[in-house]
Amino acid sequence: MKKVIVTGGAGFIGSHTCVELVAAGYEPVIVDDLRNSEERALEGIAKITGRVPLGYRIDCNDEGGMERVFAEHAPVHGVIHFAADKAVGESVADPLKYYHNNIGSLAILLRVMARHGVKRIVFSSSCTVYGQPEKMPVTETSPDRNASSPYGYTKVVCEQMLRDLSHADPLLKAVLLRYFNPIGAHPSAHIGELPRGVPTNLVPYVTQTAAGQREVLTINGNDYPTPDGTNVRDYIHVVDLARAHVMALDWMEKQAAPLCEVFNLGTGKGNSVLEVVKTFVEVNGVPVPHRFGPRRAGDVVSIWADVRKSRDELGWSCKLDLKDALRDAWRWQKGLERAAG
Ligand code: UFG
């Protein structure tokens, strides 16, 4: 079985990707220091796939630790690199943490890969690299704007690092996946999002409010130039997103090296914050108390993906929609409540 090292494999998108890797016949090897994830993600993966995944509690900045994992699992077919810090607000307050963890760890990973002759990497990027694009939907060739946070800028730099390396190493194959807004959970409710503390992202805040853990959802601004005044985003079901990683690995095989290719991963459709809240209420039949607050610093007005390239080249498109994602997010939340007693 082809072994794929999945950094951040215990995280939200990483854990769902491990499930899809197993389903496609790959063997994921998880490297995750659990700073922003929990061991129970591995149990969830095991419940879904029937197999306990291999896991190492290692910080990707620990070069010696990474060396050992690559040596132990040689030959490594490829790497999917999720591990990164991702809180936009925190990155503004503590930019060095982001430059160190996100950029430093990719540099170390690439060095270790080179030493072990591993030539395939799928990298977690973000639509944040587009800033507020002028034309919608946003295509992969839209110019990169000033990402609005140090977090976003680390994604720009990491993408550039991979581009530069693909010029220097004729055998390297890199696929950069720009995620729009991943939400939802596995339909089995065995894995999902596990935010630490007060969630900053919309959907976990919605599910916690519906569950009564939070009093009220504050919608960050209703005076934007959008149909209902609230921000528009492209919300993609995490299972669809996870599948795309496996398809990217398979697609790479058919391409000549060197390769460094970017793909948008979204649904191709924008939904407003209010639409998300209304759809959640409609699908799940539970109220979500909400009020309007001021705009949040750094939010772009609207963004959604042009997904033609992923469809035409990777052969990938979403099978699930906003309703599916919000139903699965709620099922996961209810499971968490039950587990907490
Ligand atoms: N929102 C609320 N109330 C909340 C939380 C969010 O109204 O309590 C709104 C936000 O203001 C935004 C929308 O819901 O309009 C979506 O917010 P999220 O925080 O869920 O997602 P973002 O679009 O801000 O963030 C995503 C990724 C980041 C990435 C960013 C780039 O999560 O990794 O896009 O734009 F950097």
Side-chain angles (χ1 to χ4, degrees), residues 85-88 125-131 148-149 151-152 155 179-183 193 198-206 209 216-221 224 230-235 271-274 276-277 291-301 303:
D85 288 319
K86 65 176 177 88
V88 174
S125 190
S126 160
C127 67
T128 192
V129 301
Y130 296 119
S148 55
S149 67
Y151 156 75
K155 294 295 178 190
Y179 312 151
F180 282 66
N181 286 58
I183 60 164
E193 211 167 350
V198 182
T200 53
N201 292 120
L202 178 63
V203 170
Y205 208 105
V206 166
T209 307
V216 59
L217 166 77
T218 302
I219 294 179
N220 302 323
Y224 283 103
T230 65
N231 291 138
V232 172
R233 296 287 184 272
D234 186 336
Y235 295 94
N271 287 104
S272 72
V273 177
L274 260 181
V276 171
V277 175
R291 65 169 179 229
F292 295 109
R295 292 180 176 196
R296 185 171 73 176
D299 269 340
V300 299
V301 178
I303 187 164

Side-chain angles (χ1 to χ4, degrees), residues 159 162-164 166-167 172-176 258-262:
E159 284 199 2
L162 287 161
R163 220 166 277 129
D164 291 343
S166 74
H167 296 142
L172 189 73
K173 293 184 181 181
V175 172
L176 320 182
L259 173 81
C260 186
E261 205 63 45
V262 174

Side-chain angles (χ1 to χ4, degrees), residues 121-147:
I121 181 166
V122 178
F123 176 69
S124 285
S125 190
S126 160
C127 67
T128 192
V129 301
Y130 296 119
Q132 176 64 68
E134 265 163 29
K135 268 201 264 163
M136 221 62 80
V138 61
T139 66
E140 288 85 350
T141 51
S142 306
D144 290 3
R145 306 256 156 184
N146 253 348

Side-chain angles (χ1 to χ4, degrees), residues 67-95:
E67 271 289 336
R68 285 194 295 280
V69 177
F70 275 76
E72 204 166 305
H73 294 286
V76 171
H77 177 75
V79 176
I80 306 181
H81 184 46
F82 292 103
D85 288 319
K86 65 176 177 88
V88 174
E90 184 193 43
S91 79
V92 175
D94 190 357

